Amino acid sequence: MDDKVIKLFSEKNLVFIATLMKDGSPQLSPVWANYEDGYVLINTAEGRIKHKNVLRDPRVAVSVVSKDNPLDMTTIRGTVDELIPDYEYKHADKLTKQYMNRD
Amino acid sequence: MDDKVIKLFSEKNLVFIATLMKDGSPQLSPVWANYEDGYVLINTAEGRIKHKNVLRDPRVAVSVVSKDNPLDMTTIRGTVDELIPDYEYKHADKLTKQYMNRD
């Protein structure tokens, strides 16, 4: 991804993720996300609709718009590469820092 | 829709719409939208991906989050009821007023 897009995922911008329901219809959720080593990392709880959806079908779309300039945005279509457990809340804590400025 | 949700669609909040590509994968776009008589109205140009997608499959998801309070949000799954031409830009002008405070 280019630097401008990486920046969008490194700021306090809400990220929207679209997943697919069992019947193939789209589902949409606002989430916190960050960017690490070429991946957009999204944190969610196990058992949430979007988690169940990507277990069944990994195809997703992700959109992010700058809080400060709505013309500064990107939309990505892709697939979930990996589901990474975060039982120690390491990633969740990183996101809290990014979005809330606190540990 | 309840008043709180109607308010979200009546303010300057960006709205995200997820549609389905030909292969069934999700596609996502930030859009301007407003609320009129029980419907969320979204304006787009003919020929755009989301327009082509809803012509083929009207299933969509829509999400909106308040600019002022990210906890104030809603996500809707549904279908496009009608595609309304706006060749005189009447609806586009309404949205410009809503989002940009100008005619």
Side-chain angles (χ1 to χ4, degrees), chain B residues 13-80:
Chain B
N13 306 312
L14 271 185
V15 172
F16 290 77
I17 180 169
T19 63
L20 295 168
M21 301 295 288
K22 204 172 183 174
D23 65 4
S25 64
Q27 184 274 337
L28 192 44
S29 310
V31 289
W32 283 356
N34 71 346
Y35 177 85
E36 283 178 40
D37 303 326
Y39 292 92
V40 173
L41 300 183
I42 287 168
N43 207 296
T44 187
E46 286 185 15
R48 291 275 178 86
I49 292 179
K50 57 185 164 302
H51 176 243
K52 286 183 185 166
N53 284 353
V54 298
L55 283 174
R56 192 192 325 106
D57 190 329
R59 294 178 297 173
V60 296
V62 166
S63 184
V64 60
V65 177
S66 167
K67 281 159 59 81
D68 305 316
N69 176 7
L71 296 176
D72 189 9
M73 51 83 61
T74 194
T75 296
I76 297 169
R77 280 185 284 128
T79 51
V80 173

Side-chain angles (χ1 to χ4, degrees), chain A residues 79-91:
Chain A
T79 52
V80 172
D81 249 38
E82 199 180 346
L83 293 167
I84 307 166
D86 185 38
Y87 296 127
E88 292 174 16
Y89 294 92
K90 283 186 186 171
H91 182 242

